[in-house]
Amino acid sequence: MKISCKINGKATVFNTYADKPLALLLVEDSEITSLSPGCGKGICGNCVVLMDNHPVLSCIIPAFKIREKEITTYEGYAKTRFYNDVVRGYEEAGAKPCSYCMASKTLLIESVIHENSAPEVDDILDMLSINKCSCIDEKDLVKIVETAVKYRRRRRVRRS
Amino acid sequence: MTKDKDYISAIKRPGLLYGAIVRSDIPSGTIVSIDLPDFPKDIHIIASKDIPGSNAVKVLNTSLPLLASETVTYKGQPILAVFAPSSEAAQSAAGYIRINYTDTDELQLNFKHKLDDPDQQQEIQSIAKTDIPHPNSKADEISVETEESPDTEKPDVPPSTDSVSKEILKKVIKWGNPDKLFSEADSIIEQTYITGPEQSPLTAPTGAMAEFIKDKLIVHAATQWPFHVRNVVSEVCGVTKRKVTVYQTGYHPTHDEKLIYPSIYGALCAVAAMQTGQPARLISTEPSYRPESAITRKTAFNSDHEPLAEIIDIQTNVGAYAFFADEMIQQIAAGAAPLYDIEGIRMTIRLLSTPTPPRHHFRGLGFSSAMYSAEAHASHITMQTQSNPLVWRLKHLKSSKSRPSDQTKIKYTLLKELLENTAQRADFYRKHAVYEMQRQKQQNFSPFFRYARGIGIACGYGINGFSRAFSEEKKHSITVTLEENNAVTVSLSIVEPEVEKIWKSIISEALGVDASLITIEYGDTAHVPDTGPDVLRREIHHISNLIDRCCDSIKSQRFIEPLPIKVKRGFKLPADSDNKLQLFSGLSWGSVIVELEIDTITLEPIIKGAWGSFECGRIFRPEKLASALTKSLHEGINRCGGAQIRYGRQPLIDVFIKEVDTGLPTSATETAYGLIAAAYTAAVSQALNSQAASLPFGPGDILKILEHGSKM
Amino acid sequence: MYEGVKAAAVHNPSSLAELALLRSRLPQALLWAGGTAIMSRTRLYPASDGIDIIFLGNVQELKRISRSERYLEIGSQVSIEQILKVGQHILHPVFARACRESGSYVIRSQATIGGALGIDDLSLNVPTALSVLDSQVEIRNPENKKNSSQWIPVHRMFSRNRERNTLQPAIITKVRIQLEEGDFEFFKTVGEPYLAPEEAVIISVFAKYNLPAISEYRFALSFPLYGIFRSREIETAVSSNDLPLDQRDISKIIKSLREDIQESTFTISPLQKERACRVFEYALHRMNSQSIK
């Protein structure tokens, strides 16, 4: 089956099995290197990508669902200006995810900011709870997101 | 060289073949035949007969088959490898293969010391005795007997499948006259502590990729031990070691599962690459697995309730093949030795093999399970004797002379400080008194009266790496080279990208070289020193010390010797007369308190708080260390069997670090990880008014206690 | 004989009519809603079945939410997260809580209400909550010659033995929930229904009272691998008492519940049985304490 989509802004056509998980598609059939899917069952939460700017677990998204969608992985996101807001969140909180879950946690943090301009603690933890790596303390995670939100607001104000 | 962030799944090549493994689905039996359909030419099958070199994966003096040929010794044992142009084709082809066995009855594993079956005893086969001198024994005080079963003299022969479990190694340590002391005892307290089996599905993928370039085998592997991959690939493929180069990819060794298995995958990929001329990759997400261990402790007391002697029986299931068996015995002996003063001890340690997968190490070779039993037993004693566990421990911590199994010298003053510090921060005395009152009132465990709390304490130490008795010659070493252009190159074989900045600043300060001119190289067996299994020392501290020593040496040669100046330094213990008998160096002492509440509806223990105080060596990044300790405590708690800690329900975790720079590497994270289980067990026991004696200990175990009535 | 990888064929209807036609032609096809359960449990990739898949996500009629004075109607392809967002002021607390506890935001955004009801081998939060509300499910059965739809109460999706009735080959198109106010609503999951279904229990309770009398009491206990347990006798036993319930009455009711569960065809574990009784008792105590506030 031929499936057209965009991967990090680049038009891509996959010739693949319709029910192949997106995680495997990205790992095996594309140039993406940031993904390290673990369980393959939607449990560990370490395969997060953005699909039309919404976070998804790529191991439970079949190929047929990505037709005409925009997929953003960590590599693509790291080239955007929004990435800097999250990086500053890491710096000011003095904590950042380990190399194993950095990609997924960063995209989840971006999703919190994107979905909600004034997230509560519950909203932050609800979003991040899908990723089971415990390398960052809850308090630090909230601080990272709140800092990133602060910088995102400033960016929006500057733009407007 | 592989970038530090590249995982094995990121390593791609044109024409890559994808691998899948066909595994045994029975625990034990004989392969009668293998049904292979007519596969197309682009599907490549590797069986044991196709191995060009040795069909064996050697780990020091143990060996297991790379691919099972006639006999299956555990469920999940690799039998065939399939390589195909796509992962789907490989998996699909593997699904078409049928293995036919005899002896397909599911074996009843009789390794059982469960709480509901306390009387069942393990059958032990009689074995031939072979004396192996204990390097640290004091002949007049301690007697140590180590016995090996005949099979271990032939490492290539798998354990017999005649019996379900087979004893492969036994060690008896005796000090004083425990039998006499038991005969004079006024009372005896006995309990069996069981850990495992445990299986964790949340592991990062393990895998390898191999390619054959200009008659050299290049292997990329998600491995903690790249030189082992090199050695196995060399022997399996029948090529010299010089023709094999292994690059270490990024990995996440959650439970030390990336020690041996990457070598298996690397070897299979290498054979495929050699035979097809195409690069080959195999990735697996097998859950990490640790089989069970049972430790029975019997303590004799005098009429004043003072401990006199202890008899400890330890049986550890190592799976079908026992890696690092001798070292495992050492670590178990060290962990099991009680910290309290006694006049005599007899400790019997048996390693048993069963038709289960070879165990992953879950951070250490049995030390933390053994220490769990020691500290859980100390808490059990205090509950039986109605003593305050902290006061009792402080009173009975041993004097320096009486720790026969490993000669570990207790730092009494330090441990007292750590215990009291933890107790103060956790408000231990008050809470323990309140929960003791509740326990003694034996409140109804009802959904209406929801009060079942406990607080537990544990103290001990963590070890770092292998013991002195470990005979492997190679020790962790690094090389530092001051080049002609004043650049500096550091070669080491552990991947620690997050620490690079610190190492560069150490070198920059020592040699007056700009940090931008310093390169840290790692992960490539052609360029970095072979450290042997010492790679298990995860502590970055000692690498930093090695860097210091290399820089000192370069400084002394600089402007005298021509450039480049290359210096290699290996880790060795300082010549310290106090330490020479200590089996383990660089201990990290600590104390942990856990407070929990048992939810009387879900029957889950819910952690309210965990407090830890730890001795650490030289600290480079205090906030990172605190975070690592917190993570260790989280991981330890999640393995205990209660409600899982996740975002949204993290308890209070409070960590105190005491920096004590002895020049030795330490591992406070191992201390935290090891002690949390004992503190959890003590807290659950208090909440339930009944001894919890197995790990994991969760809702099902609590229900059994409620049904049978509490036993305090 | 080696037949290679059998690729699945995916069909993408964009309207209800197209879907119905496809379904009548392919009654054994796998209906794919959000796909969270299929991808994580049911079907491992690469599957060797080469089956047909009918993806429901593009059928616009299944994505609508409408509200009248009496009912809230939700299309089967509306995601759980969308339900929470759109219905935040009108959802029953028991249903809202069931939806929130279905999983994290990422999972809720992908899982659909139709998918939650349609999982054959697992009874989770949504069906448990909907069982106690006066809710109905609209199904279209392609085997029905007139191809018309019918409404069935959610609680009747389970047999008298409380086992799941398979809906094959019917399609769930809508869920209708009556907008009635309850005086006491309670929802709780015990354990991890998705990760450890053999130990988990889910309870939902909906009650109305006119103090001190209990006018209506409905409860559902879900044992994820087996189905949903309900008992008219137990409900009657509760509602025949006045609030606050006496401890003796509560004990009698719990005893009956234990016996009833024991006699049911569910082969649940002792832990599940104990948890079910405890959480049921806890719900009664909560109702008590709310009634005396």
Side-chain angles (χ1 to χ4, degrees), chain B residues 37-40 43 88-89 91-93 96 445-448 450 600-604 646 649 699-700 703 706, chain C residues 1-6 45-46 188-192 195 199 247 270-271 274-275 277-279 281-282 285:
Chain B
D38 275 327
F39 286 126
I43 292 182
E88 293 88 357
Q91 299 279 356
S92 173
Y96 278 91
F445 225 73
S446 83
F448 178 67
R450 307 186 61 203
T600 54
I601 296 170
T602 66
L603 302 182
E604 283 176 319
R646 55 173 66 118
R649 49 180 191 190
L703 179 62
L706 293 180
Chain C
M1 195 181 91
Y2 178 64
E3 293 171 7
V5 181
K6 292 183 197 165
Y45 179 84
K188 189 168 173 66
T189 52
V190 178
E192 305 272 354
L195 297 178
E199 288 184 351
Q247 182 57 48
L271 180 62
E274 186 65 28
R275 282 175 155 178
C277 296
R278 284 176 179 265
V279 74
E281 186 178 343
Y282 177 66
H285 288 300

Side-chain angles (χ1 to χ4, degrees), chain C residues 66-74 87 89-92 95 133-135 176-182 185 206 208 218:
Chain C
S66 63
R67 184 206 165 166
S68 66
E69 243 190 66
R70 286 189 65 202
Y71 295 111
L72 178 67
E73 280 191 5
I74 307 171
H89 298 301
I90 54 170
L91 291 180
H92 290 87
F95 183 53
L133 304 174
D134 200 355
S135 54
R176 176 192 282 167
I177 306 171
Q178 189 167 1
L179 292 173
E180 56 175 337
E181 265 195 51
E185 296 186 39
F206 179 89
K208 286 183 184 174
R218 304 197 286 256

Side-chain angles (χ1 to χ4, degrees), chain C residues 5-292:
Chain C
V5 181
K6 292 183 197 165
V10 178
H11 307 272
N12 267 296
S14 53
S15 70
L16 203 50
E18 204 182 324
L19 170 61
L21 195 60
L22 259 176
R23 190 58 169 159
S24 63
R25 270 186 28 227
L26 305 165
Q28 297 305 313
L30 179 64
L31 293 174
W32 195 294
T36 51
I38 294 172
M39 293 288 280
S40 62
R41 291 180 68 248
T42 318
R43 205 165 167 270
L44 296 172
Y45 179 84
S48 56
D49 44 20
I51 59 165
D52 292 291
I53 292 172
I54 300 176
F55 177 52
L56 304 173
N58 291 327
V59 180
Q60 296 308 312
E61 293 99 314
L62 301 181
K63 292 181 167 186
R64 292 184 190 137
I65 301 178
S66 63
R67 184 206 165 166
S68 66
E69 243 190 66
R70 286 189 65 202
Y71 295 111
L72 178 67
E73 280 191 5
I74 307 171
S76 64
Q77 292 310 294
V78 175
S79 73
I80 304 293
E81 182 61 25
Q82 214 175 343
I83 294 172
L84 282 170
K85 269 204 180 101
V86 167
Q88 57 183 310
H89 298 301
I90 54 170
L91 291 180
H92 290 87
V94 67
F95 183 53
R97 181 134 182 212
C99 288
R100 254 195 314 275
E101 293 185 14
S102 294
S104 74
Y105 173 90
V106 176
I107 295 293
R108 294 195 308 261
S109 302
Q110 188 175 339
T112 64
I113 187 169
L117 285 165
I119 309 175
D120 269 342
D121 60 346
L122 213 56
S123 304
L124 297 174
N125 292 10
V126 165
T128 312
L130 291 177
S131 283
V132 298
L133 304 174
D134 200 355
S135 54
Q136 299 176 314
V137 155
E138 184 192 58
I139 59 168
R140 280 177 194 247
N141 192 339
E143 288 177 354
N144 181 335
K145 284 196 176 130
K146 287 186 188 167
N147 204 19
S148 57
S149 60
Q150 64 174 130
W151 289 93
I152 58 170
V154 169
H155 69 262
R156 289 226 191 107
M157 287 167 69
F158 304 89
S159 70
R160 294 186 77 182
N161 286 330
R162 290 105 183 198
E163 287 153 355
R164 177 69 123 140
N165 286 326
T166 178
L167 292 169
Q168 286 270 26
I171 309 161
I172 297 172
T173 49
K174 264 189 251 187
V175 178
R176 176 192 282 167
I177 306 171
Q178 189 167 1
L179 292 173
E180 56 175 337
E181 265 195 51
D183 295 302
F184 174 73
E185 296 186 39
F186 179 81
F187 180 88
K188 189 168 173 66
T189 52
V190 178
E192 305 272 354
Y194 205 75
L195 297 178
E198 68 285 351
E199 288 184 351
V201 175
I202 308 170
I203 186 172
S204 61
V205 176
F206 179 89
K208 286 183 184 174
Y209 51 73
N210 195 359
L211 289 172
I214 302 173
S215 51
E216 201 167 347
Y217 184 86
R218 304 197 286 256
F219 83 96
L221 276 168
S222 173
F223 304 106
L225 291 175
Y226 301 103
I228 295 179
F229 177 94
R230 296 197 64 186
S231 169
R232 209 59 219 126
E233 292 81 14
I234 304 280
E235 287 174 349
T236 308
V238 173
S239 54
S240 63
N241 287 288
D242 284 344
L243 283 167
L245 296 165
D246 193 75
Q247 182 57 48
R248 269 187 317 222
D249 294 327
I250 291 177
S251 301
K252 256 179 25 193
I253 292 167
I254 299 303
K255 187 165 174 254
S256 302
L257 179 67
R258 255 184 223 277
E259 285 162 3
D260 216 348
I261 292 175
Q262 188 69 29
E263 284 162 16
S264 74
T265 56
F266 292 175
T267 48
I268 59 174
S269 62
L271 180 62
Q272 273 181 307
K273 191 164 113 190
E274 186 65 28
R275 282 175 155 178
C277 296
R278 284 176 179 265
V279 74
F280 184 86
E281 186 178 343
Y282 177 66
L284 289 178
H285 288 300
R286 281 282 295 267
M287 188 167 68
N288 263 359
S289 70
Q290 185 180 288
S291 73
I292 59 177

Side-chain angles (χ1 to χ4, degrees), chain B residues 528-541:
Chain B
V528 302
D530 182 359
T531 59
D534 225 31
V535 71
L536 276 177
R537 290 182 191 274
R538 276 186 289 272
E539 184 55 57
I540 59 160
H541 173 125

Side-chain angles (χ1 to χ4, degrees), chain B residues 583-613:
Chain B
L583 259 187
F584 295 95
S585 63
L587 310 180
S588 177
W589 291 89
S591 138
V592 169
I593 287 174
V594 167
E595 182 188 0
L596 55 79
E597 176 175 345
I598 296 180
D599 185 319
T600 54
I601 296 170
T602 66
L603 302 182
E604 283 176 319
I606 297 173
I607 308 293
K608 312 291 288 178
W611 297 260
S613 302

Side-chain angles (χ1 to χ4, degrees), chain A residues 81-153:
Chain A
R81 58 185 184 281
F82 300 126
Y83 176 63
N84 296 328
D85 303 334
V86 179
V87 169
R88 287 174 98 162
Y90 294 148
E91 284 166 0
E92 286 195 20
K96 69 177 190 182
C98 65
S99 55
Y100 179 56
C101 71
M102 168 69 94
S104 288
K105 277 210 171 64
T106 302
L107 292 175
L108 287 169
I109 290 169
E110 167 58 33
S111 300
V112 175
I113 307 168
H114 179 78
E115 305 280 338
N116 192 337
S117 56
E120 306 272 344
V121 171
D122 285 345
D123 300 323
I124 296 169
L125 298 178
D126 181 32
M127 180 73 79
L128 270 297
S129 65
I130 191 76
N131 184 276
K132 301 295 188 292
C133 185
S134 59
C135 60
I136 294 191
D137 193 60
E138 206 170 90
K139 287 197 301 284
D140 287 334
L141 202 55
V142 170
K143 195 169 169 201
I144 290 166
V145 175
E146 288 173 347
T147 307
V149 166
K150 178 180 81 182
Y151 284 105
R152 183 65 55 90
R153 271 200 211 118

